[in-house]
Amino acid sequence: PGGGGLALLGLAPGAPSCPHGPALLFVKVGQAKEEGRRFYACSACRDRRDCNFFQWEDEKVSETRLAAREEYNRNHQPFFTHRQNVERYKNFVLLPLAKRRFCQECKQLLLPAEWEKHSDHQFLCDISTAQLKSPSQLLYPLENKKTNAQYLFADRSCQFLLDLIIDLGFRRVLSVGTPRLHEMIQSKASQEEDFRVRSLLLDIDFRYSQFYTEDEFCHYNMFNHYFFGGEAAHETCRKFLYQDNGERVIMVTDPPFGGLVEALASSFKKLMAMWKEPEKEGHNNQEMPMFWIFPYFFESRILEFFPSFSMMDYQVDYDNHALYKHGKTGRRQSPVRIFTNLTPSMIVLPVEEGYRFCAVCQRYVSSGNQHCEACNSCTSKDGRRWKHCVLCKKCVKPSWFHCNNCNCCALQNHTCEKTDAGCFVCGKAGHKRSTCPSLSHT
């Protein structure tokens, strides 16, 4: 409660754990930059209703409370292990179609001996092989925006990403929080003999362990780089990245948009470091190729942590999100983009969807993104044609106008509110708390 903001200090050695792995260390920062008391909170859940873990950094926790916490963490782990789920799957596929059932309430494949336990639950019958190959459609997506936010790629975007990966010559995909891309790759690999692309899914949703082996899926928290399967799962990921001397592998990630960019960037850098670990010649100054799928308004935050990245104009759309769908005009357009460390000119966008190549910028842009001579760049971020403001010395959204009171462009009917308070974190004007540069420095 009260003014000020929170700053992420990251993973601390010996941090306490909740059911989602090691907690992250935060500090409350006042308007005058003074630091408050430090505390640990769940890495994955920003909403206390989803995980209420909280501990002051300097708090002395009693042995009784520690034992109770460990017991709580144990009780909140999945009922079956990954290995047990793999064995259950083998038994499940041997069943005749009439005996294949899936409990919709428990999100679990059921063997006949378990039917009675779930007798008062709703379940699906006659689960086909095709359904087993598409678990993202069998499972209800978890739509908590800040924790899971399983907004699943629409077929259009998923197929585009896979075609792009193949055209760029990649043969292995580290799929971090992209279950639909992973299942499309798995499905094609099982159906087409000459299909050479392979995928490893890292995801916090343990339900996928029912459908994939331990070489195809790792239970993983991308906010604290935590492998729930311990060293064995870590080794699975390491081996996947090491294959072919680390060549022709790309990481594709689609994190929850409500997640902390700092925490995500830290984990992604650790995955990149795993790729660089072996003595590979010529990889010293290289980054593992990566596609980070995220809304365009996080561009400045992502570039703070990955200066080599650039944002592509391609609009990524989702099946189960009312707003994030591909459209032609205005707000109907998805704000989700691809951030990548690959050379922009290599990312060929579909001309039939209105994308074109800008010879000056040396990249594909949307049809409405016109090149600005003053900025010497295609400046639009949202697909609409932006206009150049001479006073601001930059391009702005078409609905914005220059305000002499604020000395910057804003919506025409905005309220001019020049306060002395400025940003809640650092006290300076010109930016909001969520984009405060001092947050990343901490």
Side-chain angles (χ1 to χ4, degrees):
L6 294 178
L8 172 67
L9 300 178
L11 274 172
S17 291
C18 69
H20 304 95
L24 294 178
L25 185 62
F26 294 86
V27 64
K28 185 158 178 132
V29 183
Q31 290 187 20
K33 287 191 181 180
E34 75 277 5
E35 283 196 5
R37 199 173 173 189
R38 298 181 176 198
F39 63 91
Y40 292 103
C42 176
S43 60
C45 305
R46 299 269 63 78
D47 194 328
R48 294 286 296 275
R49 288 172 295 185
D50 297 316
C51 181
N52 63 1
F53 181 85
F54 181 92
Q55 180 186 313
W56 295 110
E57 183 192 29
D58 55 3
E59 185 178 353
K60 299 294 183 187
V61 183
S62 68
E63 292 296 327
T64 305
R65 192 172 153 206
L66 278 175
R69 180 184 292 167
E70 286 178 15
E71 179 68 17
Y72 177 86
N73 290 349
R74 272 195 303 272
N75 291 338
H76 282 75
Q77 293 309 310
F79 186 75
F80 294 111
T81 65
H82 193 169
R83 186 155 295 175
Q84 286 172 325
N85 274 337
V86 171
E87 290 303 315
R88 287 167 51 79
Y89 183 86
K90 288 177 183 175
N91 293 327
F92 188 88
V93 295
L94 294 174
L95 295 170
L97 199 62
K99 291 195 173 184
R100 291 185 186 178
R101 292 187 181 182
F102 177 78
C103 179
Q104 289 184 293
E105 291 184 42
C106 302
K107 316 296 188 296
Q108 187 180 314
L109 297 173
L110 299 180
L111 298 173
E114 299 161 345
W115 289 1
E116 196 173 336
K117 284 185 190 173
H118 300 259
S119 58
D120 56 343
H121 294 177
Q122 284 193 331
F123 47 80
L124 295 174
C125 299
D126 304 338
I127 303 298
S128 66
T129 303
Q131 285 175 295
L132 293 173
K133 296 291 183 188
S134 303
S136 70
Q137 298 184 31
L138 194 61
L139 300 166
Y140 283 126
L142 304 171
E143 295 186 356
N144 180 307
K145 291 181 182 177
K146 294 181 180 179
T147 310
N148 305 101
Q150 287 180 327
Y151 297 124
L152 303 168
F153 292 145
D155 284 343
R156 162 193 167 268
S157 290
C158 202
Q159 190 62 60
F160 166 76
L161 283 168
L162 182 53
D163 290 343
L164 181 59
I165 287 164
I166 293 169
D167 291 343
L168 290 169
F170 294 107
R171 290 295 173 265
R172 279 171 296 118
V173 182
L174 187 65
S175 303
V176 184
T178 57
R180 186 153 284 180
L181 177 64
H182 175 73
E183 76 181 32
M184 182 177 276
I185 293 171
Q186 293 291 105
S187 181
K188 284 183 178 290
S190 65
Q191 293 169 13
E192 303 170 19
E193 281 187 26
D194 58 344
F195 189 78
R196 293 286 175 260
V197 180
R198 295 293 178 266
S199 172
L200 173 64
L201 176 63
L202 307 186
D203 204 289
I204 199 168
D205 187 354
F206 189 69
R207 299 179 303 174
Y208 284 104
S209 69
Q210 298 179 84
F211 305 91
Y212 300 121
T213 67
E214 290 158 300
D215 290 332
E216 298 167 337
F217 169 78
C218 292
H219 192 199
Y220 176 77
N221 182 349
M222 69 174 81
F223 291 103
N224 59 2
H225 187 59
Y226 181 67
F227 287 87
F228 292 84
E231 188 54 40
H234 189 278
E235 183 65 13
T236 296
C237 183
R238 189 184 69 84
K239 281 184 176 177
F240 184 81
L241 295 175
Y242 282 17
Q243 286 174 34
D244 301 329
N245 198 34
E247 299 295 333
R248 301 200 294 181
V249 61
I250 184 169
M251 176 176 149
V252 183
T253 183
D254 181 34
F257 302 150
L260 293 169
V261 174
E262 300 96 314
L264 292 168
S266 174
S267 293
F268 298 159
K269 286 183 177 181
K270 286 172 183 172
L271 288 170
M272 287 180 162
M274 284 175 67
W275 172 76
K276 290 177 77 170
E277 271 176 26
E279 295 79 24
K280 294 196 286 271
E281 291 184 16
H283 279 197
N284 293 337
N285 299 317
Q286 287 184 359
E287 286 181 335
M288 177 168 66
M290 181 173 164
F291 289 156
W292 181 342
I293 317 293
F294 227 50
Y296 70 80
F297 37 82
F298 284 100
E299 181 182 22
S300 61
R301 302 289 288 137
I302 291 176
L303 295 185
E304 280 180 34
F305 299 101
F306 293 104
S308 62
F309 278 37
S310 51
M311 186 179 80
M312 302 295 98
D313 271 22
Y314 182 80
Q315 294 180 22
V316 180
D317 57 334
Y318 296 79
D319 267 350
N320 56 325
H321 197 296
L323 300 177
Y324 293 179
K325 291 188 180 296
H326 179 62
K328 296 296 181 189
T329 58
R331 294 189 178 276
R332 284 198 299 123
Q333 299 185 85
S334 169
V336 186
R337 302 289 184 267
I338 300 171
F339 293 87
T340 182
N341 51 5
L342 297 175
T343 306
S345 59
M346 296 168 61
I347 313 298
V348 180
L349 304 186
V351 176
E352 64 274 13
E353 291 184 18
Y355 298 102
R356 59 179 180 81
F357 188 75
C358 175
V360 182
C361 294
Q362 283 293 295
R363 68 182 180 99
Y364 280 82
V365 295
S366 61
S367 55
N369 193 357
Q370 297 298 311
H371 192 86
C372 173
E373 297 294 337
C375 296
N376 194 29
S377 173
C378 293
T379 52
S380 172
K381 307 293 184 185
D382 62 9
R384 297 177 293 171
R385 183 171 184 171
W386 286 21
K387 60 185 181 182
H388 189 81
C389 175
V390 178
L391 296 172
C392 289
K393 296 181 181 177
K394 65 178 183 179
C395 285
V396 296
K397 294 179 179 180
S399 55
W400 287 17
F401 295 87
H402 194 84
C403 173
N404 291 322
N405 290 331
C406 301
N407 196 29
C408 66
C409 286
L411 286 169
Q412 197 163 24
N413 60 351
H414 77 285
T415 305
C416 295
E417 288 187 67
K418 280 195 132 183
T419 64
D420 297 327
C423 168
F424 279 134
V425 176
C426 68
K428 294 180 181 176
H431 62 267
K432 297 178 183 176
R433 178 179 63 192
S434 59
T435 57
C436 180
S438 64
L439 282 180
S440 59
H441 300 326
T442 58

